[in-house]
Amino acid sequence: MKNKLLVLTLIALLCAGKVNAQETEEPKPSVEKEIIGIQAGLGVWGYYEFKMTNQLALRTEAGLNGGIWVKSSFYGDTEGGLLLTPIVRAEPRWYYNLNRRVRKGKDIKGNRANYLSLDTSFAPDWFVVSTNNDYKFYKRPILSIIPTWGIRRTLGKHFDYETGIGLGYSHAFEYTKNGFTYKAQDAAVLNLRFRIGYHF
């Protein structure tokens, strides 16, 4: 009886050891510990993205954000045109399909996956580069919060591209120019994203 009990105990220990070895050999898919890079699209940005959990990363970035606008009181009754404004951004990203990509044998290096994010950005009133002379002096701080769906893919070791779309909220803070005050205004904002970049 003692011999049977000893044999059963040894078998149980061997099975437990085998399960632990399998868990060690097959870690769960995860985002990168950190990624540093630059991207260009309708603007140019430098970014730093770091791991928070296996599927969640926080991306921070700073750069010049491009925009297109039409004549509107939201922009101080100026004519339409193109503009570049400085911007800082914090964007938590959930890379939701890492497990599925790994199961299908697809690479996830460089956070190559689809994501949902909360694009939170602030454009300070430092300066504006614009095709419209009126707008060049119209420095209005704007805060935007935009839920966004996107795709990130890498090309080779260092190049990447992203595309995405989102619809959210934008708040233009009160602004005074030449003794006239533009009141704070809220608006819906569409985020269309296409970027090509290089990560180190």
Side-chain angles (χ1 to χ4, degrees), residues 2 9 16-17 33 55 57 70 76 80 91 97 124 126 137 145 194:
K2 288 182 181 180
T9 303
K33 185 177 178 182
Q55 292 187 327
V70 294
E91 183 183 5
N97 69 335
W126 297 339
F137 304 101
I145 301 172
F194 182 77

Side-chain angles (χ1 to χ4, degrees), residues 113-124:
N114 300 358
Y115 63 85
L116 293 172
S117 74
L118 189 63
D119 183 335
T120 305
S121 61
F122 179 69

Side-chain angles (χ1 to χ4, degrees), residues 101-126:
R101 286 182 62 81
V102 169
R103 282 197 304 270
K104 290 185 174 182
K106 296 181 178 180
D107 193 1
I108 60 169
K109 188 171 177 62
N111 295 350
R112 188 183 299 183
N114 300 358
Y115 63 85
L116 293 172
S117 74
L118 189 63
D119 183 335
T120 305
S121 61
F122 179 69
D125 59 351
W126 297 339

Side-chain angles (χ1 to χ4, degrees), residues 45-118:
W45 311 268
Y47 70 89
Y48 174 63
E49 186 171 318
F50 60 92
K51 174 180 175 177
M52 298 179 72
T53 68
N54 282 350
Q55 292 187 327
L56 189 65
L58 179 62
R59 180 188 180 102
T60 58
E61 67 179 36
L64 292 173
N65 218 41
I68 302 170
W69 84 97
V70 294
K71 182 171 182 174
S72 166
S73 61
F74 185 76
Y75 295 109
D77 291 323
T78 65
E79 296 298 327
L82 303 173
L83 68 120
L84 287 172
T85 59
I87 194 163
V88 291
R89 177 178 281 114
E91 183 183 5
R93 289 184 172 189
W94 173 40
Y95 288 95
Y96 62 86
N97 69 335
L98 293 173
N99 293 332
R100 188 178 68 181
R101 286 182 62 81
V102 169
R103 282 197 304 270
K104 290 185 174 182
K106 296 181 178 180
D107 193 1
I108 60 169
K109 188 171 177 62
N111 295 350
R112 188 183 299 183
N114 300 358
Y115 63 85
L116 293 172
S117 74
L118 189 63

Side-chain angles (χ1 to χ4, degrees), residues 149-163:
W149 173 84
I151 296 173
R152 178 179 169 87
R153 297 292 185 268
T154 58
L155 304 167
K157 284 188 174 182
H158 296 287
F159 291 95
D160 56 68
Y161 67 92
E162 293 187 21
T163 185

